[in-house]
Amino acid sequence: AERYLVEKLDCAGCHSINGQGGKLAPELATAGARLEPDYLYSMLVDPQAAAPTLPRSAGRAQQPSGSGEQQQQQHAACRQHAG
């Protein structure tokens, strides 16, 4: 998950992840403990729609892809991580 956040979505441009990366936004390593699973998933799928005030570069890389089943598994993983 960390690699995806850094390489695909470029979250580390603003967020730190395990102490590495940006300092403008909250630490992401602890996001599962403080954010709702549905919100986490929506930020991964479409960051601009979930938080319209994000810089236009946020989430500029490819959106999560795959079959409906794969996307359901990604959503379940977000829910489990936050649980």
Side-chain angles (χ1 to χ4, degrees):
E2 181 179 336
R3 185 174 174 188
Y4 181 80
L5 294 174
V6 173
E7 293 178 8
K8 297 289 184 183
L9 294 181
D10 195 28
C11 297
C14 296
H15 293 271
S16 60
I17 303 171
N18 291 316
Q20 301 294 313
K23 304 294 181 205
L24 298 174
E27 167 69 47
L28 290 182
T30 58
R34 55 188 166 74
L35 299 172
E36 293 293 321
D38 290 339
Y39 178 73
L40 289 173
Y41 181 73
S42 66
M43 286 298 292
L44 293 173
V45 172
D46 190 353
Q48 285 297 145
T53 60
L54 288 174
R56 292 208 66 37
S57 62
R60 72 181 192 288
Q62 296 175 340
Q63 303 298 328
S65 60
S67 68
E69 182 178 332
Q70 288 171 322
Q71 290 178 357
Q72 287 177 346
Q73 289 172 348
Q74 291 167 345
H75 195 186
C78 287
R79 295 185 65 76
Q80 181 181 10
H81 181 68

